[in-house]
Amino acid sequence: MTTLELDNETTALLAKMAEHEHLTLAQLANRLLTECLDDWQDAQAADKALAELERGEDTVISLEDWERQLDAMAR
């Protein structure tokens, strides 16, 4: 378990949102932090993929080519 210190304005906004969402403050904080961390991880993965493309370590294929490859693998 972790304790967070929040300013009064943030706490009031979270309480209002929690009430609106029918969640406890802890449930809401957990959900919001999880969503934020998921977004951060996605951004990190995208940055890594872009860097690999820019270094020529990976390639981009069209959706049509990807679908052909999937169809071939399914046979």
Side-chain angles (χ1 to χ4, degrees):
M1 179 178 282
T2 300
T3 302
L4 297 174
E5 291 185 32
L6 304 171
D7 60 68
N8 291 337
E9 183 179 349
T10 302
T11 301
L13 287 170
L14 280 172
K16 187 174 183 178
M17 186 177 183
E19 183 178 335
H20 182 264
E21 300 287 326
H22 306 290
L23 298 169
T24 66
L25 279 174
Q27 290 169 326
L28 178 63
N30 187 58
R31 189 187 84 194
L32 293 174
L33 286 169
T34 299
E35 289 172 5
C36 180
L37 291 170
D38 286 345
D39 290 346
W40 180 77
Q41 286 180 315
D42 291 345
Q44 294 295 305
D47 288 345
K48 181 182 177 197
L50 180 59
E52 289 172 357
L53 282 171
E54 290 173 340
R55 290 190 305 267
E57 296 173 358
D58 204 349
T59 58
V60 176
I61 63 171
S62 69
L63 177 60
E64 185 178 283
D65 288 342
W66 176 247
E67 289 173 338
R68 265 192 297 251
Q69 289 179 22
L70 288 176
D71 287 341
M73 289 176 8
R75 294 182 189 150

